[in-house]
Amino acid sequence: MPSEIPMLRAVNVHKSYGDHEILKGINLDVDKGEVLCLLGPSGSGKSTFLRCVNHLETINAGRIYVAGALVGYNERKGRLYEQNEKELCGMRAKIGMVFQNFNLFPHMTVLENIIEGPVTVKREDPRTARRRAYGLLEKVGLRDWADRFPKQLSGGQQQRVAIARSLAMEPGLMLFDEPTSALDPELVGEVLTVMRDLAESGMTMIVVTHEMEFAKNVAHKVVFMDQGCVVEEGTPAQVFDNPREERTKAFLGSIAERAPAR
Amino acid sequence: MMTNDKIIPLRHYGRWVSGVVLIGLLGLIVNAFIVGQIDWPVVEKFFFSAALLDGLASTILITICSMLMGLALGVIFAIMRLSQNPVSRMFSGLYIWLFRGAPVYLQLLIWFNLALIFPVVNLGFAQYRMVDVMTPFMAALLGLGLNEGAYLTEIVRGGILSVDKGQLDAATSLGMTRLLAMRRIVLPQAMRVIIPPVGNEFIGLLKTSSMASAIAFTELLHKAQVIYFVNAKVMELLIVATGWYLIVVTILSVFQMGIERRFARGHAFGEKRGFLGTLRANAFGGKRRDGA
Ligand SMILES: Nc1ncnc2c1ncn2[C@@H]1O[C@H](COP(=O)(O)OP(=O)(O)OP(=O)(O)O)[C@@H](O)[C@H]1O
Ligand SMILES: [Mg+2]
């Protein structure tokens, strides 16, 4: 479907903190239904890029389009006008984000966590929201945990709830920032399984991860980033089996050394 | 560990000895009050007298009103203090500096005597004489409320800062506005940190309100003073007032415990040991294991 508008289009995205340039002109396209895995060493700007996509951080130059709409600005007569809070929130509501540290709301039960967005942001009827929440919990295998508090759950369970919470907003694009990095090794699988199911259901996903098996088996496209630049991109087969760039080779080598095959 | 093992708990002899010494001391103090020249019937007579109960009601009223005012100011100024706008931040800083810096006693006197420099309040459409507006109650409310607000601003700010930044990220990524995220996500979690010091502030405020007796506000201490100026039973009436303060503080402490439990939602799952439980644990060395 080449004629369709991409779900995400990043054009020459620059981002600096003070004098320190973190993103040095990122260009990326993610089509609808595509799963993109973003790899790269620590500090290469992966998290920063994800946060720019839903405008948690403002970019210094370039354009980001989500589903064809410019993120954070309105363009009129060749000039950019900053969006107001309402416009920003409307855009963010359509982009799900899953964090390394889950960031569940600890003062709310699992169910309350999931219905919070739909009820307070989308003003959905609480009864409908609850019914949908149970459906989502079923999907992530936690139907019986609805009335527990986050602190009573394992890390893997918490991350699955966090995914359900994002999905409750019915986003068109899901961003994952190292969703399994804070987990004990034996809990990683259950989260990846949920993510794989989600990918198979046709969700558009950008996943920052160090889980190479997941990237090989689930991603449609793999992007390797280093020092704020996209160094290499392609299908998993191209990037993993025939990397063209030296830096990619070195990075993949170091990962393979560190993590034994799961 | 096998459940039917008999365990001989460690004995804490030091704790036994210090416990006995302290109870002895307590007995001495109680005895001093019994043998002292206190006219107990007078204490009894005035404890439930209409005048003192009236004063008590005023004390409670002014405490609650000032606390509500302080809380409202505290939340508003704390949010201003943390805002992106440098003018808001500075304004809030100035407020704290001024109303926390000057002694409460002075602030009460200044409000009460405001008519000396502003004889007339001009609202544009209407004019009032300051002496009519600035009643002792109004002066006490402004003096205590503004001072309390300055302290609570710092407490609320500390509470907000104690909430992990990721919480705001998560709320924002769901599409919440800053204000909604504050109200639904950040403030409820900040409460857990805010409530214990606010409880202390409430108790402190109850006692500080006795200073309003200096500006002719007829609260508990003021009533007691009016009576002992007449009958010269100074200590007896001070004991009555003290008794009432202690009773109200005790009730407040119980409330505080309830509220703290309410805001510990999602955090406290373990059992807690009460006074007796701790006493038993200290005396007999941890939980008894009765075996079998
Ligand atoms: N708020 C900030 N202020 C200043 N510098 C920042 C800020 N956030 C991130 N940085 C810097 O930006 C660079 C990129 O950070 P980023 O978190 O995007 O990297 P990353 O690729 O996600 O790394 P990791 O794998 O460790 O998560 C780092 O050098 C970091 O120190
Ligand atoms: Mg990161």
Side-chain angles (χ1 to χ4, degrees):
Chain A
M1 303 162 274
S3 62
E4 244 185 303
I5 326 165
M7 199 62 200
L8 175 86
R9 165 160 286 174
V11 185
N12 196 24
V13 171
H14 286 260
K15 168 73 188 171
S16 314
Y17 290 112
D19 300 336
H20 191 29
E21 194 168 37
I22 309 295
L23 301 178
K24 301 167 184 164
I26 302 286
N27 292 292
L28 263 188
D29 272 9
V30 183
D31 288 328
K32 196 159 182 295
E34 201 171 37
V35 175
L36 178 140
C37 275
L38 202 50
L39 315 178
S42 180
S44 54
K46 308 179 298 291
S47 301
T48 306
F49 178 72
L50 285 194
R51 294 171 63 84
C52 289
V53 169
N54 63 3
H55 209 70
L56 283 179
E57 307 283 349
T58 50
I59 60 179
N60 301 102
R63 301 268 200 281
I64 297 177
Y65 299 90
V66 169
L70 186 59
V71 170
Y73 304 90
N74 296 319
E75 194 162 14
R76 284 193 295 266
K77 296 189 185 131
R79 300 177 71 168
L80 291 184
Y81 296 84
E82 277 187 15
Q83 286 185 337
N84 63 29
E85 198 181 20
K86 202 175 151 214
E87 292 171 300
L88 287 177
C89 289
M91 171 272 296
R92 288 192 188 114
K94 293 181 211 138
I95 303 175
M97 188 156 192
V98 174
F99 302 86
Q100 185 172 349
N101 301 317
F102 332 133
N103 291 340
L104 289 178
F105 307 133
H107 59 306
M108 296 179 179
T109 62
V110 164
L111 191 76
E112 288 167 341
N113 263 279
I114 296 175
I115 66 171
E116 181 65 17
V119 172
T120 66
V121 176
K122 290 168 106 182
R123 308 220 154 274
E124 191 174 317
D125 171 48
R127 290 230 308 277
T128 325
R130 228 171 285 141
R131 210 174 36 244
R132 284 202 307 115
Y134 278 114
L136 288 166
L137 281 174
E138 187 89 60
K139 245 194 208 168
V140 299
L142 290 169
R143 163 112 208 179
D144 298 335
W145 297 76
D147 297 321
R148 303 295 184 93
F149 284 94
K151 285 264 163 75
Q152 294 169 302
L153 271 57
S154 74
Q157 291 171 324
Q158 288 189 52
Q159 193 61 296
R160 286 186 279 156
V161 173
I163 293 172
R165 177 177 68 178
S166 288
L167 291 177
M169 295 298 286
E170 302 181 306
L173 169 66
M174 285 284 286
L175 311 174
F176 294 82
D177 191 0
E178 302 195 27
T180 57
S181 294
L183 298 178
D184 291 337
E186 73 271 22
L187 301 178
V188 169
E190 61 190 59
V191 173
L192 293 181
T193 304
V194 166
M195 289 170 59
R196 180 190 307 246
D197 291 347
L198 190 58
E200 276 162 12
S201 76
M203 175 63 75
T204 315
M205 299 163 55
I206 304 179
V207 184
V208 173
T209 186
H210 295 300
E211 296 296 331
M212 295 302 143
E213 283 306 308
F214 179 84
K216 270 181 205 161
N217 298 329
V218 181
H220 304 107
K221 188 149 95 187
V222 174
V223 169
F224 173 66
M225 254 176 88
D226 191 21
Q227 295 179 9
C229 301
V230 170
V231 174
E232 182 155 359
E233 71 175 281
T235 63
Q238 287 166 344
V239 174
F240 287 113
D241 302 335
N242 289 305
R244 275 172 288 126
E245 302 288 329
E246 279 311 312
R247 277 191 280 175
T248 316
K249 283 179 199 163
F251 175 73
L252 292 176
S254 72
I255 288 281
E257 249 170 56
R258 226 181 324 131
R262 228 191 285 281
Chain B
M1 184 173 296
M2 301 291 292
T3 45
N4 50 5
D5 278 347
K6 258 267 188 297
I7 293 176
I8 312 297
L10 183 63
R11 300 283 168 172
H12 298 275
Y13 296 108
R15 292 179 192 170
W16 278 101
V17 172
S18 57
V20 168
V21 169
L22 290 174
I23 287 173
L25 266 176
L26 200 62
L28 286 179
I29 294 170
V30 171
N31 187 50
F33 272 87
I34 293 172
V35 300
Q37 292 181 3
I38 299 170
D39 197 346
W40 287 108
V42 171
V43 172
E44 203 186 312
K45 178 179 156 206
F46 281 102
F47 209 89
F48 294 104
S49 69
L52 283 176
L53 289 182
D54 190 49
L56 178 67
S58 297
T59 289
I60 292 173
L61 182 70
I62 193 69
T63 305
I64 291 174
C65 291
S66 318
M67 195 65 192
L68 290 178
M69 181 170 160
L71 276 174
L73 292 173
V75 172
I76 292 168
F77 279 104
I79 291 176
M80 280 172 69
R81 194 100 179 96
L82 297 169
S83 114
Q84 314 274 344
N85 182 343
V87 180
S88 308
R89 282 202 305 268
M90 200 196 61
F91 189 76
S92 174
L94 193 69
Y95 165 73
I96 296 172
W97 173 77
L98 186 61
F99 288 96
R100 202 178 55 174
V104 199
Y105 193 58
L106 264 171
Q107 292 186 43
L108 288 168
L109 290 177
I110 288 174
W111 285 113
F112 191 54
N113 291 305
L114 209 59
L116 296 179
I117 48 171
F118 301 114
V120 176
V121 188
N122 195 340
L123 294 179
F125 55 88
Q127 291 197 342
Y128 302 96
R129 293 192 319 153
M130 183 63 92
V131 279
D132 296 334
V133 177
M134 200 52 74
T135 58
F137 179 83
M138 269 308 275
L141 178 64
L142 288 171
L144 295 173
L146 285 166
N147 177 257
E148 194 53 46
Y151 280 101
L152 290 177
T153 299
E154 289 295 82
I155 292 175
V156 173
R157 187 174 74 102
I160 291 174
L161 288 178
S162 76
V163 178
D164 179 39
K165 222 192 122 286
Q167 292 290 307
L168 198 59
D169 282 345
T172 310
S173 76
L174 287 176
M176 290 192 180
T177 60
R178 252 188 88 80
L179 208 64
L180 184 62
M182 209 53 163
R183 190 164 64 76
R184 296 284 308 169
I185 308 301
V186 178
L187 281 178
Q189 292 180 60
M191 278 301 177
R192 216 164 55 86
V193 176
I194 292 172
I195 290 288
V198 166
N200 290 341
E201 284 296 314
F202 207 112
I203 289 167
L205 185 59
L206 179 82
K207 295 180 294 176
T208 311
S209 72
S210 65
M211 284 192 195
S213 64
I215 55 170
F217 180 62
T218 54
E219 46 70 69
L220 186 53
L221 179 59
H222 190 85
K223 291 281 191 184
Q225 287 173 324
V226 168
I227 295 171
Y228 73 62
F229 285 146
V230 176
N231 70 2
K233 296 286 185 191
V234 179
M235 276 305 270
E236 286 74 7
L237 278 145
L238 290 181
I239 286 173
V240 172
T242 307
W244 274 119
Y245 279 114
L246 289 178
I247 288 171
V248 178
V249 167
T250 308
I251 294 169
L252 284 179
S253 310
V254 173
F255 262 106
Q256 186 185 351
M257 262 158 52
I259 295 175
E260 271 173 37
R261 209 164 297 149
R262 161 91 177 67
F263 280 100
R265 194 162 187 254
H267 283 276
F269 300 108
E271 46 156 357
K272 278 204 195 112
R273 273 208 297 246
F275 177 72
L276 286 180
T278 311
L279 199 66
R280 197 182 312 128
N282 273 343
F284 299 107
K287 249 192 189 153
R288 308 263 321 249
R289 258 174 227 263
D290 293 324

